[in-house]
Amino acid sequence: MADKKSNKRIKSLSIHRPFIYGTTARPFDPLRNPKPPGIPDDHTHSWEVFVKGVDDTDITYWLRRVQFKLHESIPNHVRIVDAVPGKPFSLKETGWGEFEITIRLYYVSESNEKPQTLYHHLRLHPYGRTEEEKEEMKNGPDGGVVKSWNYDEQIFNEPYESFYEILTSGAMPASSMKGGKGGGKQKGEKEAKMERSEGGVLARSAMIPLTNRGPEYPFSRETEQCEIEKLKKALVKVEEMTRRTKEEMEKKEKRLKELKAEGAKA
C-alpha cells in the first residue's frame, strides 16, 4: 500500500538543488587527443554532453533519467541515459559541426513531477566576449579544450512529503550538528546549529563550494562574487555611457531649437 504522505504536498515550500549541464569539446590532435580508428575524416573534434552535480556530487536521488536529442544527421540521435548512483548523466560523440542539443530531465517517481526540457548549444570552437578571451581558450594549457558549462538550480515547488524526505535526508552529516543532541534540546544545551564542513558540497543539499577549486570545478561562492563585481563595474560603465549620451542629446536638442528660431526670424 502506498505511503499516504506521497499524496500530500508541503504547502508554501520551495526547495532547490544545484546542478551543471553543458558540453566539453576537444580538437583532435596527434599528441593530446589522437583520432580513434574508424572516425570519419571530416570529424574534427571529440565532445561530451552531460548533466551532473556541482563538484561532482550525486544527483541521482532526484534525477532518474536524461534524454539527449542530438542533430538528426547523427545516428541514433535520441539517446537515453539512466541514473547510475554517483555517476554523471553523459554521452560522448565526435563531429565537425555545432548545433543545439535538447536535454530532457526525468525526475524520480516519488517526485510526481513532469519532465523539464533544457536547450544547450554545442560549442566546438573557442568563444568569448573579446578576441583575447577566444585566444586564451584556444591556446590554453589544456590544448584548446572548449567548455560550455551552465550552472542551474532545479526548483521543486510544494514537493510531496515523501519526496521532501528523499531530497533532504542526509543533507547534513551528523558531525555537523553543534549543540543539542537527539530529538530535542535538553536543559542547559544550546540550540542545534547546522554547519557545513570544510566549505564543501554536501550530498542532498543546496550547497556549493565556498572557494574556487580549479578548472574542473568552476562554480563556487567565490566565483559568484567575482561575477557580481564584474557586473557592478559594467553597470558603472553603462551608467556613464547613458549620462554622456543624454548630455549629447540635450546639446543637439538645444542646437536644433536655436536653428529653428533662427529660421523663423529669417
Side-chain angles (χ1 to χ4, degrees), residues 76-113:
N76 187 24
H77 70 284
V78 178
R79 314 277 181 90
I80 299 292
V81 179
D82 289 318
V84 176
K87 300 288 185 180
F89 297 84
S90 70
L91 64 86
K92 297 180 180 180
E93 263 293 345
T94 65
W96 56 269
E98 299 180 343
F99 55 89
E100 186 175 71
I101 300 173
T102 302
I103 303 173
R104 194 162 175 81
L105 308 180
Y106 292 85
Y107 309 108
V108 295
S109 58
E110 292 87 349
S111 71
N112 286 307
E113 298 287 350

PDB file of all heavy atoms in Angstrom, residues 76-113:
ATOM      1  N   ASN A  76      21.179   7.362 -34.439  1.00  0.00           N
ATOM      2  CA  ASN A  76      20.564   7.195 -33.121  1.00  0.00           C
ATOM      3  C   ASN A  76      20.632   8.519 -32.362  1.00  0.00           C
ATOM      4  O   ASN A  76      21.166   8.599 -31.251  1.00  0.00           O
ATOM      5  CB  ASN A  76      21.283   6.090 -32.341  1.00  0.00           C
ATOM      6  CG  ASN A  76      20.592   5.755 -31.032  1.00  0.00           C
ATOM      7  OD1 ASN A  76      19.395   5.980 -30.874  1.00  0.00           O
ATOM      8  ND2 ASN A  76      21.360   5.255 -30.079  1.00  0.00           N
ATOM      9  N   HIS A  77      20.066   9.559 -32.958  1.00  0.00           N
ATOM     10  CA  HIS A  77      20.266  10.909 -32.444  1.00  0.00           C
ATOM     11  C   HIS A  77      19.494  11.219 -31.165  1.00  0.00           C
ATOM     12  O   HIS A  77      19.741  12.250 -30.537  1.00  0.00           O
ATOM     13  CB  HIS A  77      19.910  11.949 -33.522  1.00  0.00           C
ATOM     14  CG  HIS A  77      18.452  12.033 -33.829  1.00  0.00           C
ATOM     15  ND1 HIS A  77      17.798  11.096 -34.594  1.00  0.00           N
ATOM     16  CD2 HIS A  77      17.512  12.948 -33.462  1.00  0.00           C
ATOM     17  CE1 HIS A  77      16.530  11.421 -34.707  1.00  0.00           C
ATOM     18  NE2 HIS A  77      16.319  12.547 -34.029  1.00  0.00           N
ATOM     19  N   VAL A  78      18.575  10.328 -30.764  1.00  0.00           N
ATOM     20  CA  VAL A  78      17.897  10.498 -29.477  1.00  0.00           C
ATOM     21  C   VAL A  78      18.443   9.431 -28.529  1.00  0.00           C
ATOM     22  O   VAL A  78      18.255   8.233 -28.752  1.00  0.00           O
ATOM     23  CB  VAL A  78      16.369  10.361 -29.616  1.00  0.00           C
ATOM     24  CG1 VAL A  78      15.712  10.494 -28.237  1.00  0.00           C
ATOM     25  CG2 VAL A  78      15.821  11.429 -30.557  1.00  0.00           C
ATOM     26  N   ARG A  79      19.139   9.863 -27.489  1.00  0.00           N
ATOM     27  CA  ARG A  79      19.803   8.944 -26.568  1.00  0.00           C
ATOM     28  C   ARG A  79      19.218   9.079 -25.162  1.00  0.00           C
ATOM     29  O   ARG A  79      18.925  10.182 -24.703  1.00  0.00           O
ATOM     30  CB  ARG A  79      21.302   9.233 -26.494  1.00  0.00           C
ATOM     31  CG  ARG A  79      21.991   9.445 -27.849  1.00  0.00           C
ATOM     32  CD  ARG A  79      22.371   8.176 -28.539  1.00  0.00           C
ATOM     33  NE  ARG A  79      23.044   8.453 -29.806  1.00  0.00           N
ATOM     34  CZ  ARG A  79      24.354   8.596 -29.934  1.00  0.00           C
ATOM     35  NH1 ARG A  79      25.139   8.520 -28.858  1.00  0.00           N
ATOM     36  NH2 ARG A  79      24.894   8.841 -31.118  1.00  0.00           N
ATOM     37  N   ILE A  80      19.088   7.956 -24.495  1.00  0.00           N
ATOM     38  CA  ILE A  80      18.597   7.918 -23.119  1.00  0.00           C
ATOM     39  C   ILE A  80      19.734   7.466 -22.209  1.00  0.00           C
ATOM     40  O   ILE A  80      20.395   6.455 -22.476  1.00  0.00           O
ATOM     41  CB  ILE A  80      17.406   6.957 -22.959  1.00  0.00           C
ATOM     42  CG1 ILE A  80      16.222   7.390 -23.840  1.00  0.00           C
ATOM     43  CG2 ILE A  80      16.989   6.868 -21.493  1.00  0.00           C
ATOM     44  CD1 ILE A  80      15.584   8.686 -23.414  1.00  0.00           C
ATOM     45  N   VAL A  81      19.964   8.222 -21.125  1.00  0.00           N
ATOM     46  CA  VAL A  81      20.959   7.837 -20.129  1.00  0.00           C
ATOM     47  C   VAL A  81      20.249   7.691 -18.790  1.00  0.00           C
ATOM     48  O   VAL A  81      19.698   8.661 -18.264  1.00  0.00           O
ATOM     49  CB  VAL A  81      22.093   8.883 -20.010  1.00  0.00           C
ATOM     50  CG1 VAL A  81      23.090   8.468 -18.940  1.00  0.00           C
ATOM     51  CG2 VAL A  81      22.786   9.081 -21.352  1.00  0.00           C
ATOM     52  N   ASP A  82      20.230   6.479 -18.255  1.00  0.00           N
ATOM     53  CA  ASP A  82      19.589   6.224 -16.969  1.00  0.00           C
ATOM     54  C   ASP A  82      20.563   6.466 -15.820  1.00  0.00           C
ATOM     55  O   ASP A  82      21.788   6.400 -15.993  1.00  0.00           O
ATOM     56  CB  ASP A  82      19.067   4.782 -16.914  1.00  0.00           C
ATOM     57  CG  ASP A  82      17.859   4.577 -17.813  1.00  0.00           C
ATOM     58  OD1 ASP A  82      16.988   5.465 -17.831  1.00  0.00           O
ATOM     59  OD2 ASP A  82      17.803   3.540 -18.508  1.00  0.00           O
ATOM     60  N   ALA A  83      20.008   6.720 -14.657  1.00  0.00           N
ATOM     61  CA  ALA A  83      20.811   7.053 -13.490  1.00  0.00           C
ATOM     62  C   ALA A  83      21.668   5.881 -13.036  1.00  0.00           C
ATOM     63  O   ALA A  83      21.203   4.744 -12.965  1.00  0.00           O
ATOM     64  CB  ALA A  83      19.909   7.512 -12.352  1.00  0.00           C
ATOM     65  N   VAL A  84      22.924   6.191 -12.731  1.00  0.00           N
ATOM     66  CA  VAL A  84      23.837   5.269 -12.060  1.00  0.00           C
ATOM     67  C   VAL A  84      24.365   6.031 -10.853  1.00  0.00           C
ATOM     68  O   VAL A  84      25.047   7.046 -11.025  1.00  0.00           O
ATOM     69  CB  VAL A  84      25.002   4.838 -12.972  1.00  0.00           C
ATOM     70  CG1 VAL A  84      25.967   3.955 -12.201  1.00  0.00           C
ATOM     71  CG2 VAL A  84      24.489   4.134 -14.214  1.00  0.00           C
ATOM     72  N   PRO A  85      24.015   5.612  -9.644  1.00  0.00           N
ATOM     73  CA  PRO A  85      24.412   6.377  -8.455  1.00  0.00           C
ATOM     74  C   PRO A  85      25.878   6.771  -8.456  1.00  0.00           C
ATOM     75  O   PRO A  85      26.761   5.944  -8.706  1.00  0.00           O
ATOM     76  CB  PRO A  85      24.102   5.403  -7.303  1.00  0.00           C
ATOM     77  CG  PRO A  85      22.962   4.587  -7.833  1.00  0.00           C
ATOM     78  CD  PRO A  85      23.251   4.400  -9.293  1.00  0.00           C
ATOM     79  N   GLY A  86      26.112   8.054  -8.221  1.00  0.00           N
ATOM     80  CA  GLY A  86      27.470   8.572  -8.157  1.00  0.00           C
ATOM     81  C   GLY A  86      28.074   8.945  -9.494  1.00  0.00           C
ATOM     82  O   GLY A  86      29.186   9.483  -9.555  1.00  0.00           O
ATOM     83  N   LYS A  87      27.366   8.674 -10.593  1.00  0.00           N
ATOM     84  CA  LYS A  87      27.883   8.962 -11.935  1.00  0.00           C
ATOM     85  C   LYS A  87      27.094  10.107 -12.585  1.00  0.00           C
ATOM     86  O   LYS A  87      25.897  10.260 -12.340  1.00  0.00           O
ATOM     87  CB  LYS A  87      27.778   7.724 -12.826  1.00  0.00           C
ATOM     88  CG  LYS A  87      28.552   6.526 -12.322  1.00  0.00           C
ATOM     89  CD  LYS A  87      30.038   6.723 -12.476  1.00  0.00           C
ATOM     90  CE  LYS A  87      30.792   5.450 -12.080  1.00  0.00           C
ATOM     91  NZ  LYS A  87      32.260   5.630 -12.233  1.00  0.00           N
ATOM     92  N   PRO A  88      27.753  10.915 -13.439  1.00  0.00           N
ATOM     93  CA  PRO A  88      27.019  11.950 -14.171  1.00  0.00           C
ATOM     94  C   PRO A  88      26.204  11.333 -15.300  1.00  0.00           C
ATOM     95  O   PRO A  88      26.464  10.196 -15.718  1.00  0.00           O
ATOM     96  CB  PRO A  88      28.136  12.844 -14.723  1.00  0.00           C
ATOM     97  CG  PRO A  88      29.298  11.914 -14.884  1.00  0.00           C
ATOM     98  CD  PRO A  88      29.196  10.949 -13.724  1.00  0.00           C
ATOM     99  N   PHE A  89      25.223  12.068 -15.795  1.00  0.00           N
ATOM    100  CA  PHE A  89      24.483  11.665 -16.994  1.00  0.00           C
ATOM    101  C   PHE A  89      25.255  12.242 -18.172  1.00  0.00           C
ATOM    102  O   PHE A  89      25.303  13.472 -18.347  1.00  0.00           O
ATOM    103  CB  PHE A  89      23.067  12.230 -16.958  1.00  0.00           C
ATOM    104  CG  PHE A  89      22.223  11.735 -15.816  1.00  0.00           C
ATOM    105  CD1 PHE A  89      22.295  12.341 -14.564  1.00  0.00           C
ATOM    106  CD2 PHE A  89      21.360  10.660 -15.983  1.00  0.00           C
ATOM    107  CE1 PHE A  89      21.513  11.890 -13.508  1.00  0.00           C
ATOM    108  CE2 PHE A  89      20.569  10.203 -14.929  1.00  0.00           C
ATOM    109  CZ  PHE A  89      20.659  10.812 -13.691  1.00  0.00           C
ATOM    110  N   SER A  90      25.872  11.411 -18.978  1.00  0.00           N
ATOM    111  CA  SER A  90      26.705  11.947 -20.057  1.00  0.00           C
ATOM    112  C   SER A  90      26.753  10.991 -21.235  1.00  0.00           C
ATOM    113  O   SER A  90      26.485   9.788 -21.100  1.00  0.00           O
ATOM    114  CB  SER A  90      28.130  12.211 -19.557  1.00  0.00           C
ATOM    115  OG  SER A  90      28.805  10.991 -19.292  1.00  0.00           O
ATOM    116  N   LEU A  91      27.082  11.545 -22.386  1.00  0.00           N
ATOM    117  CA  LEU A  91      27.369  10.728 -23.566  1.00  0.00           C
ATOM    118  C   LEU A  91      28.447  11.424 -24.382  1.00  0.00           C
ATOM    119  O   LEU A  91      28.594  12.649 -24.343  1.00  0.00           O
ATOM    120  CB  LEU A  91      26.108  10.470 -24.393  1.00  0.00           C
ATOM    121  CG  LEU A  91      25.375  11.637 -25.050  1.00  0.00           C
ATOM    122  CD1 LEU A  91      25.962  11.981 -26.413  1.00  0.00           C
ATOM    123  CD2 LEU A  91      23.905  11.269 -25.229  1.00  0.00           C
ATOM    124  N   LYS A  92      29.218  10.625 -25.101  1.00  0.00           N
ATOM    125  CA  LYS A  92      30.356  11.133 -25.861  1.00  0.00           C
ATOM    126  C   LYS A  92      30.154  10.854 -27.343  1.00  0.00           C
ATOM    127  O   LYS A  92      29.635   9.810 -27.727  1.00  0.00           O
ATOM    128  CB  LYS A  92      31.652  10.494 -25.365  1.00  0.00           C
ATOM    129  CG  LYS A  92      31.968  10.822 -23.916  1.00  0.00           C
ATOM    130  CD  LYS A  92      33.264  10.168 -23.463  1.00  0.00           C
ATOM    131  CE  LYS A  92      33.573  10.509 -22.002  1.00  0.00           C
ATOM    132  NZ  LYS A  92      34.828   9.879 -21.540  1.00  0.00           N
ATOM    133  N   GLU A  93      30.598  11.800 -28.162  1.00  0.00           N
ATOM    134  CA  GLU A  93      30.466  11.688 -29.613  1.00  0.00           C
ATOM    135  C   GLU A  93      31.650  12.384 -30.284  1.00  0.00           C
ATOM    136  O   GLU A  93      32.492  12.992 -29.615  1.00  0.00           O
ATOM    137  CB  GLU A  93      29.157  12.319 -30.090  1.00  0.00           C
ATOM    138  CG  GLU A  93      28.022  11.340 -30.300  1.00  0.00           C
ATOM    139  CD  GLU A  93      28.286  10.380 -31.451  1.00  0.00           C
ATOM    140  OE1 GLU A  93      29.212  10.659 -32.267  1.00  0.00           O
ATOM    141  OE2 GLU A  93      27.589   9.369 -31.545  1.00  0.00           O
ATOM    142  N   THR A  94      31.704  12.305 -31.604  1.00  0.00           N
ATOM    143  CA  THR A  94      32.675  13.059 -32.395  1.00  0.00           C
ATOM    144  C   THR A  94      31.932  13.759 -33.519  1.00  0.00           C
ATOM    145  O   THR A  94      30.806  13.373 -33.874  1.00  0.00           O
ATOM    146  CB  THR A  94      33.756  12.135 -33.003  1.00  0.00           C
ATOM    147  OG1 THR A  94      33.142  11.245 -33.948  1.00  0.00           O
ATOM    148  CG2 THR A  94      34.452  11.330 -31.915  1.00  0.00           C
ATOM    149  N   GLY A  95      32.517  14.806 -34.066  1.00  0.00           N
ATOM    150  CA  GLY A  95      31.860  15.515 -35.158  1.00  0.00           C
ATOM    151  C   GLY A  95      32.658  16.703 -35.634  1.00  0.00           C
ATOM    152  O   GLY A  95      33.821  16.893 -35.245  1.00  0.00           O
ATOM    153  N   TRP A  96      32.009  17.508 -36.457  1.00  0.00           N
ATOM    154  CA  TRP A  96      32.682  18.680 -37.027  1.00  0.00           C
ATOM    155  C   TRP A  96      31.840  19.958 -36.908  1.00  0.00           C
ATOM    156  O   TRP A  96      32.346  21.068 -37.054  1.00  0.00           O
ATOM    157  CB  TRP A  96      32.999  18.457 -38.514  1.00  0.00           C
ATOM    158  CG  TRP A  96      31.789  18.115 -39.333  1.00  0.00           C
ATOM    159  CD1 TRP A  96      31.302  16.882 -39.616  1.00  0.00           C
ATOM    160  CD2 TRP A  96      30.890  19.041 -39.968  1.00  0.00           C
ATOM    161  NE1 TRP A  96      30.155  16.960 -40.379  1.00  0.00           N
ATOM    162  CE2 TRP A  96      29.887  18.284 -40.614  1.00  0.00           C
ATOM    163  CE3 TRP A  96      30.846  20.428 -40.061  1.00  0.00           C
ATOM    164  CZ2 TRP A  96      28.851  18.872 -41.327  1.00  0.00           C
ATOM    165  CZ3 TRP A  96      29.801  21.021 -40.779  1.00  0.00           C
ATOM    166  CH2 TRP A  96      28.832  20.233 -41.403  1.00  0.00           C
ATOM    167  N   GLY A  97      30.536  19.824 -36.618  1.00  0.00           N
ATOM    168  CA  GLY A  97      29.657  20.993 -36.608  1.00  0.00           C
ATOM    169  C   GLY A  97      29.018  21.249 -35.255  1.00  0.00           C
ATOM    170  O   GLY A  97      28.886  20.343 -34.424  1.00  0.00           O
ATOM    171  N   GLU A  98      28.611  22.497 -35.061  1.00  0.00           N
ATOM    172  CA  GLU A  98      27.921  22.902 -33.845  1.00  0.00           C
ATOM    173  C   GLU A  98      26.411  22.882 -34.076  1.00  0.00           C
ATOM    174  O   GLU A  98      25.950  23.173 -35.182  1.00  0.00           O
ATOM    175  CB  GLU A  98      28.379  24.301 -33.425  1.00  0.00           C
ATOM    176  CG  GLU A  98      29.872  24.380 -33.111  1.00  0.00           C
ATOM    177  CD  GLU A  98      30.307  25.775 -32.686  1.00  0.00           C
ATOM    178  OE1 GLU A  98      29.528  26.733 -32.941  1.00  0.00           O
ATOM    179  OE2 GLU A  98      31.394  25.926 -32.108  1.00  0.00           O
ATOM    180  N   PHE A  99      25.650  22.569 -33.044  1.00  0.00           N
ATOM    181  CA  PHE A  99      24.200  22.515 -33.163  1.00  0.00           C
ATOM    182  C   PHE A  99      23.584  22.587 -31.766  1.00  0.00           C
ATOM    183  O   PHE A  99      24.282  22.500 -30.747  1.00  0.00           O
ATOM    184  CB  PHE A  99      23.746  21.235 -33.872  1.00  0.00           C
ATOM    185  CG  PHE A  99      24.261  19.967 -33.240  1.00  0.00           C
ATOM    186  CD1 PHE A  99      23.559  19.339 -32.226  1.00  0.00           C
ATOM    187  CD2 PHE A  99      25.465  19.403 -33.659  1.00  0.00           C
ATOM    188  CE1 PHE A  99      24.013  18.177 -31.633  1.00  0.00           C
ATOM    189  CE2 PHE A  99      25.946  18.245 -33.077  1.00  0.00           C
ATOM    190  CZ  PHE A  99      25.214  17.629 -32.065  1.00  0.00           C
ATOM    191  N   GLU A 100      22.264  22.731 -31.720  1.00  0.00           N
ATOM    192  CA  GLU A 100      21.554  22.803 -30.451  1.00  0.00           C
ATOM    193  C   GLU A 100      21.176  21.399 -29.975  1.00  0.00           C
ATOM    194  O   GLU A 100      20.659  20.590 -30.743  1.00  0.00           O
ATOM    195  CB  GLU A 100      20.289  23.653 -30.591  1.00  0.00           C
ATOM    196  CG  GLU A 100      19.574  23.891 -29.264  1.00  0.00           C
ATOM    197  CD  GLU A 100      18.386  24.830 -29.413  1.00  0.00           C
ATOM    198  OE1 GLU A 100      17.371  24.401 -30.015  1.00  0.00           O
ATOM    199  OE2 GLU A 100      18.474  25.977 -28.937  1.00  0.00           O
ATOM    200  N   ILE A 101      21.445  21.128 -28.706  1.00  0.00           N
ATOM    201  CA  ILE A 101      21.109  19.845 -28.088  1.00  0.00           C
ATOM    202  C   ILE A 101      19.909  20.052 -27.160  1.00  0.00           C
ATOM    203  O   ILE A 101      19.910  20.971 -26.336  1.00  0.00           O
ATOM    204  CB  ILE A 101      22.290  19.285 -27.288  1.00  0.00           C
ATOM    205  CG1 ILE A 101      23.507  19.069 -28.206  1.00  0.00           C
ATOM    206  CG2 ILE A 101      21.910  17.965 -26.609  1.00  0.00           C
ATOM    207  CD1 ILE A 101      24.765  18.668 -27.459  1.00  0.00           C
ATOM    208  N   THR A 102      18.907  19.217 -27.316  1.00  0.00           N
ATOM    209  CA  THR A 102      17.759  19.259 -26.418  1.00  0.00           C
ATOM    210  C   THR A 102      18.001  18.273 -25.283  1.00  0.00           C
ATOM    211  O   THR A 102      18.287  17.096 -25.529  1.00  0.00           O
ATOM    212  CB  THR A 102      16.468  18.897 -27.153  1.00  0.00           C
ATOM    213  OG1 THR A 102      16.277  19.798 -28.249  1.00  0.00           O
ATOM    214  CG2 THR A 102      15.265  18.994 -26.227  1.00  0.00           C
ATOM    215  N   ILE A 103      17.896  18.766 -24.063  1.00  0.00           N
ATOM    216  CA  ILE A 103      18.134  17.940 -22.872  1.00  0.00           C
ATOM    217  C   ILE A 103      16.833  17.853 -22.082  1.00  0.00           C
ATOM    218  O   ILE A 103      16.286  18.867 -21.665  1.00  0.00           O
ATOM    219  CB  ILE A 103      19.245  18.548 -21.998  1.00  0.00           C
ATOM    220  CG1 ILE A 103      20.542  18.713 -22.821  1.00  0.00           C
ATOM    221  CG2 ILE A 103      19.488  17.701 -20.763  1.00  0.00           C
ATOM    222  CD1 ILE A 103      21.630  19.463 -22.080  1.00  0.00           C
ATOM    223  N   ARG A 104      16.357  16.645 -21.877  1.00  0.00           N
ATOM    224  CA  ARG A 104      15.090  16.457 -21.161  1.00  0.00           C
ATOM    225  C   ARG A 104      15.361  15.714 -19.851  1.00  0.00           C
ATOM    226  O   ARG A 104      15.952  14.618 -19.855  1.00  0.00           O
ATOM    227  CB  ARG A 104      14.092  15.692 -22.028  1.00  0.00           C
ATOM    228  CG  ARG A 104      12.649  15.739 -21.521  1.00  0.00           C
ATOM    229  CD  ARG A 104      11.703  15.353 -22.634  1.00  0.00           C
ATOM    230  NE  ARG A 104      10.316  15.267 -22.217  1.00  0.00           N
ATOM    231  CZ  ARG A 104       9.505  16.308 -22.088  1.00  0.00           C
ATOM    232  NH1 ARG A 104       9.947  17.527 -22.340  1.00  0.00           N
ATOM    233  NH2 ARG A 104       8.241  16.151 -21.728  1.00  0.00           N
ATOM    234  N   LEU A 105      14.935  16.313 -18.741  1.00  0.00           N
ATOM    235  CA  LEU A 105      15.183  15.759 -17.418  1.00  0.00           C
ATOM    236  C   LEU A 105      13.953  15.008 -16.915  1.00  0.00           C
ATOM    237  O   LEU A 105      12.847  15.554 -16.908  1.00  0.00           O
ATOM    238  CB  LEU A 105      15.531  16.881 -16.434  1.00  0.00           C
ATOM    239  CG  LEU A 105      16.655  17.848 -16.839  1.00  0.00           C
ATOM    240  CD1 LEU A 105      16.858  18.896 -15.744  1.00  0.00           C
ATOM    241  CD2 LEU A 105      17.956  17.104 -17.111  1.00  0.00           C
ATOM    242  N   TYR A 106      14.165  13.781 -16.466  1.00  0.00           N
ATOM    243  CA  TYR A 106      13.087  12.965 -15.893  1.00  0.00           C
ATOM    244  C   TYR A 106      13.414  12.723 -14.421  1.00  0.00           C
ATOM    245  O   TYR A 106      14.482  12.197 -14.091  1.00  0.00           O
ATOM    246  CB  TYR A 106      12.973  11.622 -16.628  1.00  0.00           C
ATOM    247  CG  TYR A 106      12.491  11.751 -18.045  1.00  0.00           C
ATOM    248  CD1 TYR A 106      13.386  12.018 -19.080  1.00  0.00           C
ATOM    249  CD2 TYR A 106      11.144  11.600 -18.368  1.00  0.00           C
ATOM    250  CE1 TYR A 106      12.959  12.139 -20.397  1.00  0.00           C
ATOM    251  CE2 TYR A 106      10.695  11.711 -19.683  1.00  0.00           C
ATOM    252  CZ  TYR A 106      11.615  11.982 -20.686  1.00  0.00           C
ATOM    253  OH  TYR A 106      11.185  12.104 -21.983  1.00  0.00           O
ATOM    254  N   TYR A 107      12.497  13.104 -13.550  1.00  0.00           N
ATOM    255  CA  TYR A 107      12.737  13.020 -12.119  1.00  0.00           C
ATOM    256  C   TYR A 107      12.329  11.662 -11.562  1.00  0.00           C
ATOM    257  O   TYR A 107      11.615  10.898 -12.212  1.00  0.00           O
ATOM    258  CB  TYR A 107      11.966  14.142 -11.411  1.00  0.00           C
ATOM    259  CG  TYR A 107      12.227  15.494 -12.025  1.00  0.00           C
ATOM    260  CD1 TYR A 107      11.247  16.144 -12.776  1.00  0.00           C
ATOM    261  CD2 TYR A 107      13.472  16.108 -11.904  1.00  0.00           C
ATOM    262  CE1 TYR A 107      11.494  17.366 -13.372  1.00  0.00           C
ATOM    263  CE2 TYR A 107      13.726  17.332 -12.491  1.00  0.00           C
ATOM    264  CZ  TYR A 107      12.738  17.956 -13.230  1.00  0.00           C
ATOM    265  OH  TYR A 107      12.993  19.156 -13.830  1.00  0.00           O
ATOM    266  N   VAL A 108      12.772  11.379 -10.343  1.00  0.00           N
ATOM    267  CA  VAL A 108      12.420  10.105  -9.712  1.00  0.00           C
ATOM    268  C   VAL A 108      10.900  10.046  -9.520  1.00  0.00           C
ATOM    269  O   VAL A 108      10.229  11.075  -9.399  1.00  0.00           O
ATOM    270  CB  VAL A 108      13.148   9.951  -8.360  1.00  0.00           C
ATOM    271  CG1 VAL A 108      14.650   9.856  -8.571  1.00  0.00           C
ATOM    272  CG2 VAL A 108      12.825  11.096  -7.411  1.00  0.00           C
ATOM    273  N   SER A 109      10.362   8.841  -9.499  1.00  0.00           N
ATOM    274  CA  SER A 109       8.906   8.657  -9.467  1.00  0.00           C
ATOM    275  C   SER A 109       8.264   9.276  -8.231  1.00  0.00           C
ATOM    276  O   SER A 109       7.121   9.737  -8.285  1.00  0.00           O
ATOM    277  CB  SER A 109       8.576   7.166  -9.541  1.00  0.00           C
ATOM    278  OG  SER A 109       9.193   6.458  -8.475  1.00  0.00           O
ATOM    279  N   GLU A 110       9.000   9.319  -7.109  1.00  0.00           N
ATOM    280  CA  GLU A 110       8.433   9.879  -5.883  1.00  0.00           C
ATOM    281  C   GLU A 110       8.102  11.362  -6.005  1.00  0.00           C
ATOM    282  O   GLU A 110       7.298  11.902  -5.244  1.00  0.00           O
ATOM    283  CB  GLU A 110       9.402   9.685  -4.706  1.00  0.00           C
ATOM    284  CG  GLU A 110       9.603   8.258  -4.271  1.00  0.00           C
ATOM    285  CD  GLU A 110      10.692   7.558  -5.052  1.00  0.00           C
ATOM    286  OE1 GLU A 110      11.146   8.106  -6.074  1.00  0.00           O
ATOM    287  OE2 GLU A 110      11.085   6.456  -4.645  1.00  0.00           O
ATOM    288  N   SER A 111       8.742  12.037  -6.958  1.00  0.00           N
ATOM    289  CA  SER A 111       8.517  13.482  -7.105  1.00  0.00           C
ATOM    290  C   SER A 111       7.158  13.805  -7.709  1.00  0.00           C
ATOM    291  O   SER A 111       6.580  14.857  -7.446  1.00  0.00           O
ATOM    292  CB  SER A 111       9.602  14.091  -7.989  1.00  0.00           C
ATOM    293  OG  SER A 111       9.444  13.701  -9.343  1.00  0.00           O
ATOM    294  N   ASN A 112       6.648  12.890  -8.565  1.00  0.00           N
ATOM    295  CA  ASN A 112       5.397  13.133  -9.299  1.00  0.00           C
ATOM    296  C   ASN A 112       5.464  14.427 -10.115  1.00  0.00           C
ATOM    297  O   ASN A 112       4.455  15.096 -10.322  1.00  0.00           O
ATOM    298  CB  ASN A 112       4.199  13.189  -8.340  1.00  0.00           C
ATOM    299  CG  ASN A 112       3.807  11.820  -7.834  1.00  0.00           C
ATOM    300  OD1 ASN A 112       3.587  10.900  -8.617  1.00  0.00           O
ATOM    301  ND2 ASN A 112       3.754  11.667  -6.520  1.00  0.00           N
ATOM    302  N   GLU A 113       6.671  14.775 -10.571  1.00  0.00           N
ATOM    303  CA  GLU A 113       6.870  15.981 -11.370  1.00  0.00           C
ATOM    304  C   GLU A 113       6.996  15.621 -12.851  1.00  0.00           C
ATOM    305  O   GLU A 113       7.517  14.559 -13.204  1.00  0.00           O
ATOM    306  CB  GLU A 113       8.136  16.721 -10.924  1.00  0.00           C
ATOM    307  CG  GLU A 113       8.118  17.207  -9.484  1.00  0.00           C
ATOM    308  CD  GLU A 113       7.206  18.403  -9.282  1.00  0.00           C
ATOM    309  OE1 GLU A 113       6.735  18.974 -10.287  1.00  0.00           O
ATOM    310  OE2 GLU A 113       6.965  18.764  -8.117  1.00  0.00           O
TER     311      GLU A 113
END
